[in-house]
Amino acid sequence: METFADGFGRRFRYLRISLTEVCNFRCVYCLPNGYQKVAGPALMTPLEIERLGRVFSHRGVTKFRLTGGEPTVRRDLGEIIGRLSALPGVNKVAMTTNGWNLARHIDEWAAAGLTNLNVSVDSLDPEVFHRITGHNRLNSVLEGVERALELALPNVKLNAVLQRDAISEGFAPFADYVRTRPVAVRFIELMRTGDNVALFEDQHVPGDHLRQWLTERGWSPCSRGADDGPAIEFSHPDHVGRLGLIAPYSPGFCDSCNRLRVTAAGKLRLCLFGDDGVDLRHLLGSDDAAPLEALIESALRIKPRGHRLAEGRTGNTRNLSQVGG
Ligand code: SAM
Ligand code: SF4
C-alpha cells in the first residue's frame, strides 16, 4: 500500500493525535488565563483512536505522537498508548507533555509501549519556569525526566520555547544539562497565534540567535532521520546530549513537512496554521477502513504548500492547545 502523500509529493509517515484541548498549565504564550471550558464534540475514544491509527499505519505511518492540550490529563492514556503501539508497522509512539504527572506515571506508560517522550521545559530556573507556566513544579517535572532516563526510554527530549525573558541567562544552563544526559533540548521559535500577538511582539527571538550561539561554541549540526520532526539538532564533543532548533519562520521550513494532525474531536488538520479541518469522526464508528482512507486521500490533495505565518496569517489557530502543537 502506498504511503499517504499530498499534491506536492510530500509523504506522511508521522501523525500527531491530540487527545484533549484541556490543560492544567497556563503557559504565557498558549493559555495565559488557563483552559476555558467550551461546549464541543466529545473526545475520540481509545477504540476510535485505534481505528484512526490502523488506517494511517496501513498507509505507511510508523510514528504517532500524542499531544494536546495536555495528553496526560486523560485517564485512559495508557490504554491509548497500548492500542497504538500494538498496530502493525508502528515503531514509535511518542508523547509531548508538560510533565506535571510524569514521575508518577512514566513506568506505566513505558510498559504500555511509549518510546519517545518530549517534555516541555522552557527554563531550568524554577522561578522563571513558574512565571511562564503558572506552576511551581520544575523539580517534579525534572524528576519525571530522570525516571524516563532510568527506564532507558529510547528517546527523551525537552522542548523549550524561545522567549526573550527565558533566555536572559543565555543557553548555558541547558548546555550544562545535556553535558552528561542523553537528552536533546530543542528550542522552538515562539509562534504567533491568534491569541498571543502582544506577547509575540515582545518576546519573539529569531532562531538565528541560538544558531549563532551554538556555532560560536563549537556545536555542529547532525543529520536527520526520515520520520524526524523539523528540528535541526547540534552536537558537541564534550556533551552527551544535543541542543536543537525548531525555526518555523525559516524559509523552506514547510518544504519537508512530514506531519499531519488529528484534533481531539477527530478532525484532520492539514497544517498547524490552516483553517478548521476535515471531519473524520463520522467514519470512526465502524471497522470499515475504506471510506476513511478515501476521505483522507482526497483531503491530502488540498494540503497547502506552507503556512503563512510570515504574513501574520495564523489560520483559525488561536493557540496551540487547540490543535496539538
Ligand atoms: N501540553 C503539552 C506540552 O506543553 O508539552 C503538549 C501540547 S503543547 C501545545 C506542545 C508544544 O507546543 C509545547 O512544547 C509548547 O511549549 C509548544 N507551544 C505552545 N504554544 C506555542 C507557541 N505559540 N509557539 C511555539 N511553541 C508553542
Ligand atoms: Fe498547556 Fe502545553 Fe499550552 Fe503550556 S503549552 S498551556 S502545557 S497545552
Side-chain angles (χ1 to χ4, degrees), residues 12 35 66 84 96 124 127 132-133 136 142 149 160 173 219 230 240 262 273 296:
F12 301 98
Y35 171 73
L66 305 176
L84 290 174
T96 305
L124 290 171
E127 273 178 32
I132 293 174
T133 62
N136 188 10
L142 293 179
L149 293 173
W219 292 76
V240 176
V262 175
F273 291 98
I296 296 167

Side-chain angles (χ1 to χ4, degrees), residues 16 18 20 22-25 27-31 65-72 95-100 118-122 158-163 186 188-193 196 199-200 246 248-249 272-273 318-325:
R16 298 169 82 105
S18 174
T20 176
V22 175
C23 185
N24 52 348
F25 274 27
C27 299
V28 285
Y29 45 78
C30 184
L31 295 174
R65 175 172 301 282
L66 305 176
T67 179
E70 176 49 40
T72 68
M95 179 167 69
T96 305
T97 173
N98 63 27
W100 72 285
N118 287 24
V119 187
S120 299
V121 179
D122 291 340
L158 301 192
N159 289 351
V161 175
L162 257 180
Q163 299 156 85
R186 289 111 46 89
I188 310 173
E189 207 177 316
L190 177 63
M191 288 178 257
R192 176 185 161 135
T193 63
N196 74 8
L199 180 104
F200 177 87
I246 300 176
Y249 291 92
L272 184 52
F273 291 98
R318 291 195 324 273
N319 56 65
L320 295 201
S321 78
Q322 279 184 304
V323 274

